[in-house]
Amino acid sequence: MTEPAAEPSEPRQRGRIVRSAVAIGLYAGAFGASFGAVSVGSGLSVGQTMVLSLVLFSGASQFAFAGVVAAGGAPFAAIPAALLLGVRNAFYGVPVAEMLTPRWPARLWTAHFVIDETTAMASGQPDRPSQRYAFWSTGVILFVLWQCGSLVGALLGSVIDPATFGLDAAAPAVFLALLWPSLRRPRARWTAVGAAALALLLIPLAPTGVPVIAAAAVAVVAGLAPDRDRPAAAGAPA
């Protein structure tokens, strides 16, 4: 009978967490650079791009915002699209709150770091101290590298012609790539088709930005409706 493997010591555990966080952070920095270039190519200034990265700090939501602006939409139309993509972070707040148990006012800045990567890193740890360390180390590393990447991309995007490198089309393309994995379920595909059809119908009739809001409303209504596909899809990847 073999003895169970010994638990890693605390320094080794923390070192493993930091190495994983840095690896994710390097990817985030590269992704942030692409956002910075796309954002400036969409018509936002370097300052506006950095404020968006600092305040929103959510890649998919930021690309959605830049995509709407690139299509000629007004900020009042871009904000709902960005918020709809970021709403999943609110659901992450439930398990994160149980792991971190933050108190006011710490909840305010903790919520800013509740994203896919920090939630996944914290959830994968065996105990509460490791969960807290993973959450905060991952959050801080990603935040810093994301801002650095966004700044580099925005500065590069401000000195080149966006059309030369296709940056004027990059925001919708990246947004579609982020959306694509969510279209594996039939309900999601029908929702996307309905939203796109409504938006195309309204483009020649409504002011700029209204088609985007109408399409978002289709997604909200579909999300509130009972999901008949869920029992049949039990055990399938989400």
Side-chain angles (χ1 to χ4, degrees):
M1 184 175 182
T2 58
E3 294 183 1
E7 290 292 330
S9 61
E10 184 175 346
R12 289 182 58 190
Q13 179 80 353
R14 292 191 173 191
R16 181 185 63 80
I17 291 172
V18 170
R19 286 193 297 273
S20 298
V22 169
I24 299 172
L26 292 175
Y27 155 77
F31 197 40
S34 66
F35 164 73
V38 166
S39 177
V40 171
S42 300
L44 297 176
S45 67
V46 174
Q48 290 170 329
T49 297
M50 292 311 300
V51 168
L52 192 60
S53 277
L54 288 166
V55 174
L56 192 53
F57 186 43
S58 177
S61 297
Q62 291 178 219
F63 273 108
F65 189 98
V68 174
V69 172
F76 83 90
I79 291 173
L83 291 179
L84 279 173
L85 274 178
V87 74
R88 70 189 187 282
N89 293 350
F91 295 99
Y92 294 159
V94 176
V96 168
E98 293 178 353
M99 289 184 286
L100 304 184
T101 59
R103 298 181 179 180
W104 292 101
R107 290 187 179 186
L108 296 177
W109 60 75
T110 300
H112 194 54
F113 291 90
V114 177
I115 55 177
D116 298 348
E117 294 82 359
T118 55
T119 303
M121 283 286 289
S123 300
Q125 307 309 316
D127 52 64
R128 291 298 171 84
S130 296
Q131 289 172 343
R132 295 189 181 97
Y133 186 81
F135 177 88
W136 284 112
S137 59
T138 304
V140 171
I141 289 172
L142 259 68
F143 185 82
V144 172
L145 292 180
W146 177 263
Q147 307 308 325
C148 292
S150 296
L151 180 59
V152 170
L155 291 175
L156 291 176
S158 65
V159 297
I160 62 176
D161 182 8
T164 302
F165 296 93
L167 294 180
D168 50 342
V174 173
F175 181 55
L176 180 60
L178 292 168
L179 178 65
W180 192 258
S182 301
L183 301 180
R184 289 177 293 188
R185 296 176 59 194
R187 176 178 179 173
R189 290 194 291 270
W190 281 113
T191 301
V193 169
L198 179 60
L200 289 173
L201 180 65
L202 291 177
I203 285 175
L205 305 174
T208 301
V210 172
V212 176
I213 296 177
V218 172
V220 171
V221 172
L224 294 176
D227 190 355
R228 297 179 180 179
D229 294 334
R230 187 171 297 277

